[in-house]
Amino acid sequence: MTAPILITGAAQRIGLAMVQHFVAEDIPVIMTYRTKHPVIDTLVKQGVICIQADFNQAGAVDALIAQVQQHTDTLSAVIHNASSWDCEARNPDHNALFDAMMHIHAKVPYLLNMGLAPLLQNYHETADIIHITDYVVEKGSPKHIAYAASKAALDNLSRSFAAKYAPDIKVNSVAPSLIIFNQDDSEEYKAKTLKKSIMGIEPGCREVIDAIELLRKSNYITGRTLAVDGGRHLK
Ligand SMILES: NC(=O)C1=CN([C@@H]2O[C@H](COP(=O)(O)OP(=O)(O)OC[C@H]3O[C@@H](n4cnc5c(N)ncnc54)[C@H](OP(=O)(O)O)[C@@H]3O)[C@@H](O)[C@H]2O)C=CC1
Ligand SMILES: Nc1nc2c(c(=O)[nH]1)N=C([C@H](O)[C@@H](O)CO)CN2
């Protein structure tokens, strides 16, 4: 049996697009979801292993590792996609915000990488860990300070784990800027955001999927970041 790919936070948007891509490629998928979106029932019928995991709950990481081990003795990739794009304006308790951002974006990937490494090392080829970070890792963000810092921590994990797990596992980041808007984004926000890159488009999920596939197909790239940001750094 082909080794599955584990994707966290994949019940909507980019993570769901990743799942649907791998299903279309007949690659087995194990995905985690926090909220049981209606699409979960469809994914189960398609043979996707859907595991409920709210990483804010104590013991959730250990429970996920145990459940993954029940389903498979090997993984070809782990994609850390689960994320909370939260900001200081919405969270006056900055202490709690900082802890929450670091937890979901850095501590959870760190613990999963440590716990799932044996399954990845059991893969018959070089396995992959892919961290979905953010363009703001290189620039910072005055409106999402804790979020950006936590994604920078996740970015740093790529280099540490790449050195720790080579040559059995490649570890890389994909750093997007705008990929897809949120449903409640205003036209004013959309217009302002599109101007931030020199490509000036809302590219869609395929851009992230293509970056992931480039990394999966490589036998050599590790400890690096693929920027998927429309030339935002040139503005
Ligand atoms: N969308 C974009 O344009 C950009 C996205 N990115 C990054 O790409 C990745 C995917 O982005 P996008 O699809 O917009 O992500 P979303 O904002 O849609 O979040 C993805 C999922 O993460 C889950 N999640 C959040 N917190 C937790 C938690 N504590 N435990 C378990 N699951 C949790 C959410 O679950 P629930 O459904 O229950 O809320 C959600 O389904 C993210 O890492 C994001 O930071 C980076 C730059 C731009
Ligand atoms: N978890 C999320 N992270 C991010 C999102 C999102 O919707 N969910 N969106 C962005 C923005 O698109 C930003 O890149 C451009 O304004 C960043 N991170």
Side-chain angles (χ1 to χ4, degrees), residues 88-105:
E88 282 71 20
R90 281 201 303 261
N91 294 271
D93 183 347
H94 297 152
N95 185 15
L97 174 63
F98 194 86
D99 287 349
M101 292 294 96
M102 284 295 175
H103 181 77
I104 184 64
H105 296 134

Side-chain angles (χ1 to χ4, degrees), residues 8-18 31-37 52-57 60 80-85 100-101 103-105 108 131-136 147 151 154 174-182 185 189 193 202-205 208 228 232:
T8 66
Q12 65 180 23
R13 295 163 56 80
I14 298 173
L16 176 59
M18 293 177 196
M31 64 81 80
T32 80
Y33 65 93
R34 177 174 60 177
T35 303
K36 194 172 189 289
H37 296 269
Q52 199 281 334
D54 178 350
F55 294 119
N56 291 336
Q57 297 301 312
H80 297 286
N81 173 77
S83 169
S84 175
W85 192 37
M101 292 294 96
H103 181 77
I104 184 64
H105 296 134
V108 167
H131 300 136
I132 308 299
T133 59
D134 190 308
Y135 161 79
V136 295
Y147 165 87
K151 288 284 190 171
L154 178 58
V174 172
S177 63
L178 171 67
I179 298 298
I180 51 171
F181 286 114
N182 279 283
D185 286 339
Y189 170 82
T193 304
E202 177 192 17
C205 302
V208 174
V228 183
R232 186 159 165 189

Side-chain angles (χ1 to χ4, degrees), residues 119-202:
L119 296 183
L120 290 159
Q121 288 160 335
N122 203 29
Y123 183 48
H124 67 280
E125 297 180 0
T126 303
D128 287 277
I129 293 171
I130 298 173
H131 300 136
I132 308 299
T133 59
D134 190 308
Y135 161 79
V136 295
V137 164
E138 66 179 77
K139 187 173 181 185
S141 173
K143 293 183 179 176
H144 297 81
I145 301 169
Y147 165 87
S150 66
K151 288 284 190 171
L154 178 58
D155 176 68
N156 184 268
L157 290 178
S158 297
R159 291 181 285 284
S160 298
F161 278 116
K164 178 178 177 61
Y165 289 144
D168 300 330
I169 308 169
K170 297 181 275 107
V171 187
N172 294 285
S173 296
V174 172
S177 63
L178 171 67
I179 298 298
I180 51 171
F181 286 114
N182 279 283
Q183 279 182 337
D184 56 355
D185 286 339
S186 69
E187 289 311 309
E188 180 191 7
Y189 170 82
K190 288 180 181 178
K192 183 184 68 171
T193 304
L194 290 171
K195 289 192 178 103
K196 287 183 179 178
S197 79
I198 58 175
M199 296 307 288
I201 61 170
E202 177 192 17

